Amino acid sequence: MKKKIIVQKFGGSSVANIDRIKEVAKRIASYKRHRQDVAVVVSALGDTTDKLEELAFSIDAHPPEREMDMLMSTGEQISCALLAMAVKKLGFDAVSFTGAQVGIRTDKAHTRARIIKIDAHRIKKAFAEDKIVIVAGFQGVTSDAEITTLGRGGSDLTAVALAKALGAKVCEIYTDVKGIYTTDPRIEKKAKKLTKITFEEMLEMAALGAQVMQTRSIEVAKKYNIPMHVRSSFSKEEGTMIVQKNEKMESVSVRGITCNKSEAKITICNVPDRPGIAARIFTEISKAEVSVDTIVQNVSHTRQTDISFTVPKTELTKTLKTIRNLSEKIKIGDVSSDKDIARVSIVGSGMRSHRGVAAKMFQTLADNKINIEMITTSEISISCIINRKSSDKAVKVLHKKFNLERIN
Ligand code: ADP
Ligand code: ASP
Ligand code: MG
């Protein structure tokens, strides 16, 4: 009989030290005992990736991206070898592989590469030899044999892509929380674990800053309808299933709240209000490879207007420099920036069929004296940019108002 294949991914906190690695090894072995083929994707130990990044930044604020990938990919190479040793020590046969060794082919975009294809034959050969396969997450290789990484949190993407390539029956994501919660349990203790969430909602939550899953991994899982189970590596409890949309799930308007503190706001005052100026500004910014998010332009009464927009905090200096250069070519007024902002968002596919959700959000913030600086909406989310100091409070009051403590 053909054995079932499962893919399991263990995040950094799940393999933070040797004791944890031994625990994970036991868990993997228990699945093997059930006669399943197991492919394990592993992240770097604890906060190794952050530490490696710090080392690079202590040499150069803008290190060469190719060298960054050479450096950052080493974290996962350590953890996959140690985990393979721990599994073997339990008497099971295991083999560790780097991304390149298992044919994870990517494009050439260093530090944020996309997976183009996976040649799964080496993994399948190891399965045929009854081995547990342990793959270093977060990395791949280009057609020129250059090592690449898949963006922060990229081990999630490795796991989903492997699940697709191997035709796995499920992709399990083991992490330090029991599943996907209504909001980050570090901010709101009353956050509730969801039994199910749709791909669409998870994608929106991830894109709006819920750290628990990498956005691109959910894009791929949604596209290929790969069943995902997010659960704790510290307990046996069932976690959260990420599933295709179903009608019943639209009965609640809001399923989750996110808070993203990684953006900064820029305001350009007195921009000439005539066709082509906004295009000019944002073309220059995009040439500098900065991705702009929320944009707000005020109504002009004087043929001059103010434009505000958000960019990742890490791109603030570069964006301000680009605007400064531009100000020599077009006449603009003062430019200001604010790093102390946060984006608080409510997400739910039921928003399509419920009225008054935005009004309720704005009123709740107003009742708590939280000023809204910018607003954006999508079909299934509403985001407010507010002062960073008020963001935890905003999450808590919205969580209560939308009754998320009682959702399941
Ligand atoms: P890993 O190291 O396993 O990849 P991450 O640190 O990337 O784990 O993601 C898990 C963290 O995501 C949790 O510790 C939690 O604080 C945070 N998080 C943010 N939003 C949510 C949410 N809605 N549900 C669960 N966890 C969340
Ligand atoms: N180690 C990488 C990171 O911290 C990839 C991952 O853990 O998913 O971003
Ligand atoms: Mg992660």
Side-chain angles (χ1 to χ4, degrees):
M1 198 180 75
K2 204 167 159 238
K3 280 195 264 179
K4 283 183 182 155
I5 297 173
I6 54 170
V7 172
Q8 303 187 315
K9 176 250 168 180
F10 291 87
S13 48
S14 307
V15 290
N17 53 47
I18 295 299
D19 287 340
R20 290 293 313 146
I21 290 176
K22 288 180 179 169
E23 284 303 313
V24 168
K26 280 190 210 154
R27 186 152 201 157
I28 297 167
S30 74
Y31 279 88
K32 187 69 188 165
R33 278 193 200 99
H34 289 100
R35 301 201 47 73
Q36 310 193 67
D37 278 329
V38 191
V40 176
V41 173
V42 69
S43 290
L45 270 63
D47 58 0
T48 302
T49 313
D50 292 337
K51 292 267 162 59
L52 292 171
E53 207 172 45
E54 269 168 38
L55 286 176
F57 290 153
S58 67
I59 293 175
D60 183 351
H62 302 285
E65 290 183 332
R66 179 193 180 275
E67 303 311 327
M68 243 357 227
D69 279 351
M70 288 295 286
L71 176 72
M72 302 275 269
S73 59
T74 60
E76 273 71 9
Q77 197 168 336
I78 294 172
S79 54
C80 75
L82 290 173
L83 187 55
M85 289 175 198
V87 172
K88 277 169 107 62
K89 185 80 183 159
L90 295 174
F92 291 83
D93 202 3
V95 56
S96 67
F97 292 120
T98 63
Q101 284 175 313
V102 286
I104 301 182
R105 178 69 70 78
T106 73
D107 63 16
K108 296 178 183 173
H110 281 292
T111 75
R112 53 188 175 281
R114 283 180 181 269
I115 297 178
I116 299 168
K117 64 171 189 195
I118 296 185
D119 171 12
H121 90 270
R122 194 149 181 198
I123 298 183
K124 289 191 175 150
K125 186 165 170 280
F127 281 163
E129 292 161 2
D130 214 24
K131 290 187 169 128
I132 296 172
V133 172
I134 303 184
V135 179
F138 178 53
Q139 53 179 265
V141 66
T142 67
S143 53
D144 306 328
E146 293 283 25
I147 292 174
T148 49
T149 61
L150 310 174
R152 294 305 303 265
S155 299
D156 294 336
L157 181 59
T158 308
V160 172
L162 272 185
K164 161 81 176 76
L166 295 169
K169 93 176 159 100
V170 64
C171 178
E172 293 187 321
I173 304 290
Y174 285 89
T175 183
D176 61 350
V177 283
K178 287 182 179 164
I180 308 296
Y181 282 69
T182 46
T183 192
D184 189 340
R186 276 186 294 204
I187 300 180
E188 172 55 281
K189 298 264 171 308
K190 292 182 191 145
K192 183 106 190 280
K193 186 185 88 185
L194 296 162
T195 342
K196 282 185 188 164
I197 185 168
T198 65
F199 282 119
E200 187 187 39
E201 288 167 329
M202 189 66 244
L203 184 57
E204 195 83 359
M205 279 181 74
L208 290 169
Q211 173 198 349
V212 60
M213 288 298 301
Q214 194 217 28
T215 310
R216 258 162 54 202
S217 71
I218 302 297
E219 271 167 15
V220 177
K222 180 172 186 273
K223 182 167 171 197
Y224 297 107
N225 193 15
I226 295 163
M228 305 276 294
H229 185 180
V230 182
R231 59 194 306 189
S232 167
S233 64
F234 298 83
S235 90
K236 290 263 181 292
E237 212 177 295
E238 294 276 301
T240 305
M241 289 303 302
I242 311 180
V243 296
Q244 288 291 12
K245 196 166 74 195
N246 83 40
E247 301 294 305
K248 233 174 80 196
M249 292 181 77
E250 297 225 352
S251 62
V252 293
S253 58
V254 176
R255 200 176 311 281
I257 303 179
T258 60
C259 178
N260 183 352
K261 297 176 184 163
S262 67
E263 291 169 273
K265 185 176 84 168
I266 296 177
T267 301
I268 313 178
C269 296
N270 300 333
V271 177
D273 188 20
R274 53 169 204 268
I277 297 293
R280 185 88 188 271
I281 293 173
F282 290 105
T283 303
E284 288 302 315
I285 293 173
S286 85
K287 274 195 208 151
E289 292 190 9
V290 174
S291 49
V292 172
D293 207 307
T294 306
I295 304 174
V296 173
Q297 179 175 330
N298 289 345
V299 180
S300 126
H301 298 291
T302 58
R303 304 193 60 79
Q304 288 196 323
T305 182
D306 297 346
I307 297 181
S308 294
F309 55 95
T310 61
V311 295
K313 233 178 246 177
T314 47
E315 311 279 3
L316 179 61
T317 315
K318 186 157 86 172
T319 316
L320 289 173
K321 198 170 149 207
T322 307
I323 299 171
R324 221 174 296 127
N325 290 343
L326 193 65
S327 70
E328 286 159 16
K329 296 174 209 148
I330 53 174
K331 207 169 161 311
I332 54 174
D334 289 345
V335 178
S336 61
S337 63
D338 183 0
K339 281 186 187 172
D340 291 322
I341 59 159
R343 175 187 300 271
V344 172
S345 314
I346 56 175
V347 176
S349 46
M351 256 180 225
R352 290 195 181 96
S353 50
H354 287 74
R355 283 171 200 282
V357 182
K360 190 164 160 182
M361 179 182 195
F362 304 155
Q363 190 60 53
T364 307
L365 295 177
D367 291 346
N368 287 279
K369 306 209 165 18
I370 299 170
N371 189 40
I372 303 171
E373 296 177 24
M374 291 165 130
I375 299 168
T376 48
T377 62
S378 82
E379 238 188 313
I380 64 159
S381 72
I382 305 164
S383 301
C384 294
I385 302 287
I386 60 173
N387 189 292
R388 188 188 161 108
K389 273 198 216 101
S390 312
S391 62
D392 285 5
K393 183 174 173 195
V395 169
K396 285 174 202 263
V397 294
L398 290 169
H399 197 266
K400 190 160 179 14
K401 194 70 181 179
F402 285 98
N403 237 344
L404 292 180
E405 289 156 32
R406 296 208 174 75
I407 205 171
N408 60 45

